[in-house]
Amino acid sequence: MTTSLFGRKWTTVDFVLIVVTAALYAVALITLAQIKIIPQVPIRPANALQPVFGILFGIPGCLGLGFGNLVSDLLQGSAAPHILITGFVSNFLGGFIGFLAVSHPGLKTVRSYIQYYLFVVLFASAVVACAILVNVGLGFTPMEVASMFIPVVFLNQAIATGILGPILLKLLYPFVRRTGLYRGRAVSTPYGRGYGS
């Protein structure tokens, strides 16, 4: 499944993908950060890029998400070390869970849709939202703050990934595959496992 991806030799393209996805994610986070329905609570539609970059670009995409969030936090003044570390890890996991769980990157099967909504929209959103509990455990964040923060982050994550994620995957997967940039899971085809259609 993923062993060939973890074991394969990285090329210059992989490192370029880290830089490009990090830059795109950071720009999206910064430029879309002011979208709010509830006062003081950003919607973060850029979170939809987490499963997209993870599923399409594999580990390079996941690393790009972590570094992109790091850049965004630094530029927006959230420079406390525990926030930077938790943000990097939670954004990496937001892409990595989709990379591991979704069997077809173009969501062309019922199975891949179920995997996407179960593991990306529900499970990954919960993981990202609950990452703040690490800071609670380390004594950096009061539990009262975390208990208010977790539901908001979960909803932001689930809404963005649930609505925008599938649209972006369906639009981008054919292009990414044609250009040879696909670094996700091998896709099951009638002819065996490959990077098929």
Side-chain angles (χ1 to χ4, degrees):
M1 186 171 78
T2 56
T3 51
S4 62
L5 292 169
F6 287 110
R8 72 174 173 80
K9 185 177 179 180
W10 279 38
T11 66
T12 305
V13 173
D14 296 290
F15 295 101
V16 170
L17 278 173
I18 294 173
V19 174
V20 171
T21 54
L24 289 172
Y25 191 50
V27 168
L29 286 172
I30 292 166
T31 57
L32 301 176
Q34 299 309 312
I35 298 176
K36 296 179 177 71
I37 292 177
I38 304 170
Q40 309 303 319
V41 179
I43 297 178
R44 283 181 61 115
N47 285 8
L49 293 174
Q50 289 177 9
V52 174
F53 286 172
I55 291 168
L56 296 182
F57 303 125
I59 302 301
C62 297
L63 289 170
L65 290 164
F67 286 117
N69 190 77
L70 187 67
V71 170
S72 170
D73 282 347
L74 287 170
L75 292 177
Q76 295 184 82
S78 303
H82 63 282
I83 293 174
L84 298 178
I85 293 168
T86 304
F88 182 95
V89 173
S90 65
N91 281 270
F92 177 91
L93 290 174
F96 189 67
I97 292 168
F99 161 66
L100 289 181
V102 179
S103 57
H104 197 292
L107 301 181
K108 290 190 175 182
T109 64
V110 173
R111 179 183 178 201
S112 63
Y113 263 108
I114 293 170
Q115 291 165 335
Y116 183 88
Y117 280 95
L118 181 62
F119 291 103
V120 172
V121 177
L122 297 178
F123 181 66
S125 294
V127 169
V128 171
C130 291
I132 193 173
L133 294 177
V134 174
N135 292 337
V136 173
L138 295 172
F140 293 118
T141 304
M143 190 60 201
E144 299 76 29
V145 173
S147 62
M148 293 185 295
F149 184 78
I150 289 171
V152 172
V153 172
F154 176 83
L155 285 174
N156 283 341
Q157 188 80 13
I159 291 168
T161 58
I163 296 172
L164 298 176
I167 296 169
L168 292 172
L169 281 170
K170 286 192 165 292
L171 288 173
L172 294 174
Y173 172 62
F175 170 77
V176 169
R177 183 174 56 84
R178 281 196 309 271
T179 56
L181 295 175
Y182 182 71
R183 297 295 188 273
R185 284 177 54 170
V187 180
S188 296
T189 69
Y191 310 103
R193 295 186 70 76
Y195 293 100
S197 60

